Amino acid sequence: MSGAALLYGMGQGGEVYQGDNGTTAVVLDDGVVRAGTMFGTVFLTDQRMETETARAHRLAEHEARHADQWAGFSLAAGPAAFPALYALDEAFFPGAFNHFERQAGLEDGGYDTPSDCPSLAGQMALASLGLLAGSVLVVRHRRRRSSASEHSGGALSRG
């Protein structure tokens, strides 16, 4: 993923900066979501800033935490796990409500900490998904039990 992001960024004419913490930043003119997106250890961004500032170092640390998240989930469930989980979390908890952004450090990432965290809409959506998943499991359990009793009914009756 890192190599593909680096090739993409360079192909788009991006400026490449190597961070002290093992991350690489590629500054592009456009095509970036929010302030940037981490792909493995490569940060694609449209933010042009001085590299030797406290702000730049905090952002680099924030993005390095995302690289650690990506690596951990890749080891546990494959390389697509982190982006899939991040996107799912983002759908219910956007921006500063996103759990991965919170873990990486909101202030370091340039986010303002919201006062109503986590979002009520996100909580309601997750509760709804939980209820739906629970309902599906109950229906599946009942069908299995019903199917098992149909298969064993009469085959081992005593007389």
Side-chain angles (χ1 to χ4, degrees):
M1 201 45 86
S2 300
L6 186 59
L7 285 174
Y8 171 80
M10 292 173 64
Q12 296 296 315
E15 299 172 39
V16 179
Y17 299 92
Q18 184 63 47
D20 294 338
N21 58 8
T23 60
T24 302
V26 181
V27 179
L28 302 169
D29 290 328
D30 61 8
V32 176
V33 178
R34 287 197 209 130
T37 303
M38 196 72 176
F39 293 93
T41 60
V42 176
F43 181 53
L44 300 179
T45 183
D46 63 359
Q47 305 294 304
R48 297 190 188 287
M49 65 177 81
E50 295 295 320
T51 57
E52 295 304 318
T53 64
R55 169 73 186 111
H57 287 285
R58 287 194 334 264
L59 180 60
E61 288 305 312
H62 173 89
E63 296 307 327
R65 288 182 207 114
H66 283 314
D68 292 343
Q69 291 168 341
W70 193 305
F73 281 101
S74 293
L75 284 173
F82 177 68
L85 290 171
Y86 185 99
L88 181 64
D89 197 278
E90 183 71 18
F92 295 108
F93 301 97
F97 296 107
N98 184 298
H99 294 90
F100 296 105
E101 293 298 342
R102 292 176 156 288
Q103 185 183 29
L106 290 178
E107 188 175 309
D108 290 346
Y111 292 92
D112 291 327
T113 303
S115 61
D116 63 338
C117 200
S119 73
L120 182 58
Q123 290 177 356
M124 296 299 291
L126 282 181
S128 298
L129 279 176
L131 289 172
L132 178 63
S135 299
V136 168
L137 290 173
V138 167
V139 168
R140 288 183 64 191
H141 178 73
R142 287 184 179 169
R143 284 186 181 163
R144 283 185 186 153
R145 195 169 25 166
S146 173
S147 177
S149 66
E150 286 176 10
H151 290 293
S152 64
L156 297 175
S157 58
R158 292 185 177 197

